[in-house]
Amino acid sequence: MTIFPASAMAAILFVSLNPELEGRWGGELDVGAAQLRIEIVLDESDGSWSGELISVDQGNARVPATSVTVEGDRVIIELSAASARYEGTLTPNSQLDGEFEQVGQTFELDMARMAQPAETNAPPARYDNDRDIRVLNGEVTLAGSLRLPEGANTVPGVVFISGSGPQDRDMTVGEHRVFLTLAEHLADAGIASLRLDDRGVGDSAAIIPHHPQDIADDMGAALTELRLQPDVNGQCVGFIGHSEGGSLALMAAGSSAPDFILSLAGMHASMADTLIEQGEAIVRASGGSDADVAAQRAVQDVVMTALRDTPVGEAGPAIEAGLIEAGLPEQIARQQAMIWGQAYAQNALDLDPAPYMQAYPGLFSALFGGSDLQVLANVMSERIIAARGALPTRVSTLAGHNHLFQLEASGLPTGYTTAPHAMSPEALATIVEEVQNLIDMSCQ
């Protein structure tokens, strides 16, 4: 079950205060077919409240609250981007007794206060050199931060591109801030980096993308903005794309002409092929049988057939009906239909990234994690080599690393939040060295 769509809105409404509600809360949402760990973070600052809901078991998908209303011991959190709502009451034993409602279905969701994360989980803020940046792409405004080395003076730079779904500029996964951690290490090496809140996250515009090219155009505008920064060498800038961001970097290259591209665990296949491959890999790694793999594929086929056979943006009813016929509970079928029925999913499903790989003439490097189950290193590497041909390309794999380049052998998404680091020291050193090599080769 996935309870969040691919975009989110973040307009916050504030009412009254109860400081005992502030903090991090956790509980399990029982939806019949699965139990999903849910966290809610409530913050109060200068008499104003903000909130966020995190689905731990779905890659730590995050949805900012549309509104947070506090009335005494009662809190109401509206999440319009997910068509959801949580209402809870603070009990004498400091728990929240409440209900989670989504698309007409109501589930009990009681939450207990969680300990604040240890300070050691966050990377040290060694510099005060972050510069607020606004990127304009037509009606879209993206908010971001430019991290500069100490004493920066016309240094090379990169734009980070995140993977699927709404993510903040730091690519926060649980308590790990992946892009911020990498930005710190790049700054130590004398390289600037621009990281951005995705559409609908933070202060970025909540304008839903309908096609991957929409996001690619955002990133092209970001690279143009990076070139204009006075501390950045505009003749030496490139992209670092993670997961789907690897493909988006190549899509953006046609109009923005980056000097180099580094793809990290990049999705260099169609979304359909990637989902089928990762679905089987995760089922088998979780102990599933051939029958479990076949059942997973049957559900995927229902969704993909509906996406291919209906007009763009109108697949929701066909997905819902097909999943119910396949035996899924009605509420889960409806939730899946709400997510996968979006225009973005239909336009991305069979989009072939090979022509974009072939069209980019510059230096392209791809790094994969050997234990990654979301993007399989071997098959993705083969696709890159076949598409790039004689174009300047380097492909390598870090053994024992997962999709986030954490040293975590299982590769399962549940390991993303339990790993002791945002990225392993080996991965950070390898990535920084690869960026330096790309700069040396392309910016002479």
Side-chain angles (χ1 to χ4, degrees), residues 70-419:
V70 176
E71 298 173 346
D73 292 334
R74 180 167 165 263
V75 60
I76 301 170
I77 303 169
E78 301 285 352
L79 303 141
S80 63
S83 300
R85 181 179 191 268
Y86 178 73
E87 181 174 339
T89 301
L90 185 65
T91 67
N93 60 347
S94 296
Q95 292 189 336
L96 283 175
D97 286 353
E99 292 182 337
F100 178 85
E101 181 180 344
Q102 187 176 39
V103 288
Q105 300 293 319
T106 301
F107 307 92
E108 182 178 346
L109 180 56
D110 297 334
M111 312 196 82
R113 187 179 294 280
M114 302 177 66
Q116 291 299 313
E119 290 297 326
T120 54
N121 284 344
R126 294 191 296 272
Y127 313 123
D128 293 323
N129 285 1
D130 263 6
R131 177 183 299 160
D132 288 337
I133 297 291
R134 292 293 184 271
V135 172
L136 301 179
N137 175 31
E139 297 181 350
V140 175
T141 301
L142 300 178
S145 297
L146 176 65
R147 172 55 56 98
L148 294 163
E150 282 190 300
N153 183 20
T154 59
V155 297
V158 296
V159 171
F160 289 125
I161 308 178
S162 63
S164 302
Q167 300 184 47
D168 66 22
R169 68 189 69 184
D170 294 336
M171 202 175 112
T172 303
V173 179
E175 301 309 324
H176 298 311
R177 294 190 285 172
V178 179
F179 278 173
L180 177 58
T181 301
L182 183 53
E184 293 278 5
H185 284 75
L186 289 170
D188 283 346
I191 302 164
S193 59
L194 175 57
R195 57 193 199 277
L196 298 160
D197 293 330
D198 289 345
R199 294 187 185 199
V201 178
D203 292 330
S204 292
I207 298 176
I208 297 174
H210 294 282
H211 193 285
Q213 190 63 55
D214 297 341
I215 305 299
D217 290 344
D218 290 347
M219 296 303 103
L223 197 71
T224 297
E225 184 63 35
L226 180 64
R227 284 194 173 103
L228 297 174
Q229 297 303 306
D231 305 293
V232 174
N233 176 1
Q235 304 302 311
C236 191
V237 294
F239 288 123
I240 296 180
H242 178 257
S243 196
E244 187 187 13
S247 287
L248 294 173
L250 288 159
M251 294 180 69
S255 60
S256 59
D259 295 294
F260 57 87
I261 294 174
L262 173 58
S263 172
L264 300 177
M267 190 188 82
H268 298 293
S270 69
M271 181 183 289
D273 287 341
T274 303
L275 290 172
I276 290 168
E277 291 165 0
Q278 72 175 226
E280 178 174 353
I282 290 173
V283 169
R284 293 198 184 282
S286 303
S289 63
D290 288 346
D292 295 323
V293 171
Q296 163 86 1
R297 180 63 189 274
V299 171
Q300 290 177 324
D301 285 345
V302 168
V303 174
M304 293 181 188
T305 298
L307 290 174
R308 291 173 177 134
D309 291 350
T310 56
V312 174
E314 299 179 16
I319 293 173
E320 182 177 347
L323 291 176
I324 291 173
E325 185 177 350
L328 269 68
E330 183 176 338
Q331 67 268 29
I332 295 177
R334 184 176 299 118
Q335 289 156 352
Q336 293 292 324
M338 180 182 67
I339 297 159
W340 290 103
Q342 297 181 55
Y344 189 98
Q346 286 185 274
N347 286 321
L349 185 68
D350 293 315
L351 186 65
D352 183 5
Y356 301 99
M357 287 190 274
Q358 295 160 359
Y360 177 61
L363 288 170
F364 176 75
S365 178
L367 179 63
F368 295 97
S371 66
D372 189 351
L373 298 179
Q374 286 194 248
V375 171
L376 307 186
N378 290 341
V379 293
M380 290 297 177
S381 297
E382 291 171 0
R383 289 181 175 116
I384 291 171
I385 293 168
R388 291 285 290 172
L391 293 169
T393 305
R394 172 180 165 85
V395 181
S396 54
T397 299
L398 276 177
H401 285 71
N402 65 13
H403 193 55
L404 300 185
F405 292 92
Q406 299 162 328
L407 193 57
E408 204 282 322
S410 79
L412 291 167
T414 52
Y416 300 164
T417 57
T418 58

